Amino acid sequence: MKREIKKILLIGADGQLGTDLKKMFSNSYKLFCPLVKELDITKFDKVREYIAQNTPDLIINTAAFHQVDECEKNPQKSFLVNTTAVKNLAEICREKDISLVHISTDYVFGLDKKRRIPYTEDDLPGPINIYGISKLAGEYCIRYILEKYFIIRPAALFGVAGPKGKKENFVELMLRLAQEKEEVKVKNDEFTTPTYTKELAENITKLIKTQEYGIYHMTSQGECSWYEFTKKIFELTNTKVNCQPVSSDEFLMTAKRPHYSVLENKHLKEIGLDKMSHWKEALEKYLKEKGHIK
Ligand SMILES: NC(=O)c1ccc[n+]([C@@H]2O[C@H](COP(=O)([O-])OP(=O)(O)OC[C@H]3O[C@@H](n4cnc5c(N)ncnc54)[C@H](OP(=O)(O)O)[C@@H]3O)[C@@H](O)[C@H]2O)c1
């Protein structure tokens, strides 16, 4: 039987997605939003103690070590935060009969270089970098330990708060580069679906009210290359700059990135909860919310 959700522990509440989830939940639930200094998910005994004291009915884990190149340089930290800490959370959830919402990633895919149709939840993952491997291992720990879980795979997030671990999200980066440079070069051979954290948070809010546990792809509709995404950002904000499509080989990156990691929200559609809009529409909403356009 599903336990009624009254108290939620939101991990990573001041992050990009966490900020929107916090706004969404604050009126309807008693929320615990510890900062990393109050609850670091890699401090296992502290996590156990915190959960025992506050007795949440649901835990949402948005925390991750997700700077993809840094993960490649520091696999120990990557596996500690993205795998072992997740395993620990899942074990506590099993002991206390708490449901777990865990945010994963489209980067669990990428091995199939010829792929050009969206991945569904039924496709076998195949990550191509340490970040993706460590996140996938985290997913497998949850699936092995727990029954009441929602594993959510979003992609290419942009939200008003901006990512905590990076200076800015991709939209803000492109707008800044357009101010600083005469020419902006953007990869045109990596395809994804940019996803607005506010819409993602809205969908998560609906999903947690169900008992439809499992893995969910949760991205905006459609797909584009990073170049196509950038062109749309500049078009909507009326930004005049020379924007050039280039191959990903032009950028020296430590970690490999998937050429195609587009996801289909198949499981969400099956339960009638796929309310995500097209990425172009979501981008326009974001630009308005951020005050870039009227
Ligand atoms: N950003 C993307 O494009 C993208 C795409 C696909 C999937 N995802 C996934 O989506 C999730 C949310 O991404 P986001 O962009 O919202 O990330 P974010 O802005 O970096 O937020 C992550 C939050 O987790 C906290 N955190 C990190 N390590 C922690 C730890 N050891 N213990 C407790 N809290 C910790 C961070 O706090 P501090 O900064 O203070 O450490 C921050 O508040 C992540 O799981 C990521 O893997 C992201």
Side-chain angles (χ1 to χ4, degrees), residues 11-19 34-37 39-43 61-67 77 81-82 85 102-107 131 135 152-158 162-166 197 200 226:
I11 301 169
D14 61 344
Q16 187 165 226
L17 172 61
T19 300
L35 296 174
V36 71
K37 63 178 183 223
L39 185 75
D40 178 337
I41 58 167
T42 65
K43 306 278 187 293
N61 179 34
T62 73
F65 180 40
H66 64 94
Q67 290 92 322
K77 183 173 175 188
V81 180
N82 299 335
H102 175 70
I103 311 302
S104 188
T105 173
D106 57 323
Y107 274 24
Y131 168 65
K135 290 288 280 189
I152 293 169
R153 294 180 182 149
L157 295 180
F158 57 93
K164 277 282 311 284
K166 298 174 192 164
T197 50
L200 183 60
W226 292 103

Side-chain angles (χ1 to χ4, degrees), residues 150-174:
F150 297 101
I151 291 172
I152 293 169
R153 294 180 182 149
L157 295 180
F158 57 93
V160 166
K164 277 282 311 284
K166 298 174 192 164
K167 195 170 166 194
E168 61 224 334
N169 67 34
F170 185 82
V171 181
E172 301 305 316
L173 170 67
M174 290 302 113

Side-chain angles (χ1 to χ4, degrees), residues 21 100 127 130 162 197:
L21 283 169
L100 177 64
I130 294 293
T197 50

